[in-house]
Amino acid sequence: MKIAFITLPLVALVCLSTLAQPIKLHKDNPHYFDYKGKPTVLITSGEHYGAVVNMDFDYVKYLQTLKKEGFNHTRLFLGDYVENVGAFCIVRNTLAPAPGRFIAPWMRSNTPGFAYGGNKFDLDKWNPEYFKRLKGFFEEAQKNDIVVEAVLFFVGPGWEAMPMNPKNNINKTTDIKNTQYMTLNNGNILKYQEAYCRKIVNELNGFDNVIFNVANEPWFINQEIEGFSSPPANETKEWIERVSEWIKNEESKLGKTHILSVDYANEGKPIKEEYLKTYFKNISVFNHHYDKNAESLALNYHLPVAITFNETGLMHAISPQYRMQGWKYMLSGGALYNNLDFTFQVGTEDGTGSTEYSCDWYNGSTFPQVRMSIKAIKNFMESIDFINMRPLSAKDMVECHGDERFTIFGKENFYVIYLQGSYRTRAYLKLKDGNYKFTYINPIDGNVIMKNNHIVKEGKMNFLTPEYQEDILIKIEKM
């Protein structure tokens, strides 16, 4: 009896150790994740990254809301960057704490003068209250099955108020231009960046629900080419490589190894394969913003990495595009879709808030009902064998004389068509001969509209959709 009693717990421990691993790329299809031993896509509608640094934000209610509504992801800025009230024209912004309510990884000094109120920072002293709040956030996220992309660095338009700016600390950091922050030419700031990076990695190493993001929008003021869509400049790529080396080196001393991500471009630009051996040798997840036509996937799906769309925006607050872009992206081979959702605010961490924008050039999602549609995307993806499917060429499979746009995702004898158009669509579809079941689905809520069967002869058939507005989803299974 004693032997049996001892053996069972040992077996259980072996099983638990096998399952208790950080999220990683799936070994059979690196376009997707493996989490808790299961093929995983990450889909969410999340707040503007200030859940920890804004002390007034109730992250417990927020994370429980994500879980309740069926999501499994959020992004988080870690404290090297904070926004002022009104930044990006956002009236109620979780990343812009009220005066005195910004908490950072560093202690405040006795010297007044931080740009957004209170004393300057002492970059040589860690703030235990911050790390208590940070780890509390990750513990709650893990409890609610939420994977967190932990964003280490950003500069954007915020250099004047960043703790590493010499105006905001007592450590005499080098007086640099904002364009130097994400380069190796930033003076003694580099050593403070390294210390901060290693400290964060050390504190979060024990969590399985972490993806370390080297930098948010490193192209913002360091572009390779001029224009809205650009990768970061080469000198910033060199800095990204260095930061990734700090993370890998620090984790080599610890118990777990996590995957790393980086924001690569707005919309989509080619990722050169040579970069995967140099600048991005430690990066396996490449993020894109505002990729309305899934260009990043069309250009880079051939690479053995996860391609993601992790920030929406620049559209009317209640645009159907927040839904439509998500369907198109995930059915083009995307690993992650994050709708930036401004209904999550201080006081409305359950996502019931609304916000205004103080200018016309920036808008974001502030319509709570859009989350039902984003959830429908996640539910559908989890209902299909996506790990063995891939994006297919609509030109090779569909003949249609209208203006409709087809996105096709499939494997042998099983296909999903996401159709953007209006009213009803008639098209010819090229399939192997046989009997097929068609299921028409409403992308707004995931509910089935209609089912019917079709016979394919001589490799071709025509079909007519039911009436729809804006978009419809068609699942096709060979019987």
Side-chain angles (χ1 to χ4, degrees), residues 422-439:
S422 62
Y423 188 59
R424 300 187 82 177
T425 296
R426 183 180 293 279
Y428 286 92
L429 190 61
K430 300 173 185 177
L431 295 170
K432 291 183 178 180
D433 288 0
N435 296 326
Y436 290 84
K437 179 171 70 174
F438 279 54
T439 303

Side-chain angles (χ1 to χ4, degrees), residues 319-337:
S319 171
Q321 285 296 321
Y322 294 108
R323 170 189 85 243
M324 297 169 77
Q325 291 178 15
W327 279 111
K328 182 176 179 63
Y329 202 85
M330 296 309 297
L331 293 174
S332 296
L336 179 157
Y337 183 69

Side-chain angles (χ1 to χ4, degrees), residues 119-318:
N119 291 350
K120 295 183 178 184
F121 292 93
D122 184 343
L123 302 181
D124 290 325
K125 294 182 179 179
W126 301 118
N127 182 354
E129 290 303 310
Y130 166 85
F131 288 101
K132 180 180 178 181
R133 182 171 172 86
L134 178 70
K135 294 179 94 167
F137 177 91
F138 274 88
E139 287 166 0
E140 188 66 27
Q142 193 154 270
K143 187 190 307 181
N144 287 283
D145 293 322
I146 307 295
V147 174
V148 184
E149 184 177 46
V151 182
L152 286 159
F153 295 101
F154 184 45
V155 58
W159 176 235
E160 290 302 309
M162 291 172 62
M164 291 194 199
N165 187 311
K167 298 176 182 177
N168 297 313
N169 64 66
I170 63 168
N171 307 94
K172 297 181 180 179
T173 52
T174 306
D175 189 6
I176 63 171
K177 297 178 181 179
N178 60 352
T179 53
Q180 294 174 262
Y181 184 71
M182 288 188 182
T183 73
L184 299 177
N185 180 32
N186 62 13
N188 67 359
I189 287 174
L190 192 68
K191 77 171 185 178
Y192 286 108
Q193 289 177 330
E194 179 176 2
Y196 154 75
C197 174
R198 288 181 181 273
K199 175 66 172 176
I200 292 287
V201 169
N202 199 291
E203 293 288 337
L204 298 181
N205 179 262
F207 293 97
D208 295 333
N209 59 329
V210 185
I211 299 172
F212 286 114
N213 177 265
V214 172
N216 176 74
E217 295 189 352
W219 64 81
F220 195 95
I221 50 175
N222 296 84
Q223 291 189 315
E224 182 178 88
I225 55 175
E226 290 187 7
F228 182 70
S229 178
S230 171
N234 284 349
E235 61 181 352
T236 296
K237 293 191 191 81
E238 292 172 349
W239 174 86
I240 289 168
E241 182 180 7
R242 180 71 61 85
V243 176
S244 75
E245 288 169 349
W246 296 338
I247 299 170
K248 288 298 183 183
N249 178 263
E250 191 65 24
E251 290 210 307
S252 70
K253 311 168 192 175
L254 304 170
K256 297 186 177 183
T257 301
H258 296 83
I259 54 176
L260 312 187
S261 69
V262 72
D263 293 10
Y264 187 70
N266 285 331
E267 297 176 341
K269 289 294 181 184
I271 302 167
K272 295 180 181 179
E273 291 191 46
E274 64 202 69
Y275 291 169
L276 300 183
K277 300 174 184 177
T278 53
Y279 303 129
F280 304 136
K281 62 180 182 288
N282 297 315
I283 309 289
S284 54
V285 182
F286 291 83
N287 301 329
H288 301 80
H289 294 180
Y290 319 125
D291 192 5
K292 57 184 180 294
N293 294 316
E295 292 178 33
S296 59
L297 288 162
L299 293 168
N300 299 299
Y301 188 79
H302 63 285
L303 299 174
V305 297
I307 308 294
T308 82
F309 184 168
N310 74 337
E311 184 175 299
T312 62
L314 306 182
M315 300 178 291
H316 191 276
I318 57 173

Side-chain angles (χ1 to χ4, degrees), residues 3 44 84 91 178 200 237 273 320 324 326 358 363 406 433:
I3 295 173
T44 197
N84 65 310
V91 174
N178 60 352
I200 292 287
K237 293 191 191 81
E273 291 191 46
M324 297 169 77
S358 58
N363 265 281
F406 293 81
D433 288 0

Side-chain angles (χ1 to χ4, degrees), residues 63-98:
L63 293 168
Q64 289 177 350
T65 299
L66 291 185
K67 171 71 171 181
K68 179 182 177 181
E69 297 195 1
F71 299 122
N72 64 352
H73 179 58
T74 194
R75 290 188 91 204
L76 185 73
F77 279 20
L78 298 173
D80 85 313
Y81 170 91
V82 67
E83 292 180 350
N84 65 310
V85 175
F88 293 100
C89 307
I90 305 163
V91 174
R92 287 181 284 278
N93 180 2
T94 56
L95 198 51

Side-chain angles (χ1 to χ4, degrees), residues 334-444:
L336 179 157
Y337 183 69
N338 177 23
N339 178 51
L340 180 51
D341 189 336
F342 292 103
T343 64
F344 293 105
Q345 305 156 12
V346 170
T348 59
E349 292 88 349
D350 59 355
T352 57
S354 61
T355 193
E356 307 92 46
Y357 301 92
S358 58
C359 61
D360 294 332
W361 69 266
Y362 188 88
N363 265 281
S365 176
T366 53
F367 187 52
Q369 285 82 347
V370 78
R371 292 201 297 276
M372 174 182 70
S373 298
I374 307 298
K375 179 184 177 182
I377 302 172
K378 181 173 178 287
N379 289 347
F380 182 81
M381 291 298 298
E382 291 177 343
S383 76
I384 63 176
D385 182 28
F386 62 83
I387 205 74
N388 291 309
M389 299 171 71
R390 61 186 178 86
L392 301 171
S393 169
K395 291 181 180 179
D396 293 339
M397 292 188 65
V398 177
E399 291 180 12
C400 182
H401 301 293
D403 296 327
E404 293 87 347
R405 287 171 289 169
F406 293 81
T407 301
I408 305 180
F409 189 61
K411 62 179 182 177
E412 187 173 9
N413 300 328
F414 186 93
Y415 307 92
V416 178
I417 297 177
Y418 176 62
L419 175 57
Q420 295 170 271
S422 62
Y423 188 59
R424 300 187 82 177
T425 296
R426 183 180 293 279
Y428 286 92
L429 190 61
K430 300 173 185 177
L431 295 170
K432 291 183 178 180
D433 288 0
N435 296 326
Y436 290 84
K437 179 171 70 174
F438 279 54
T439 303
Y440 298 89
I441 297 168
N442 185 348
I444 295 174

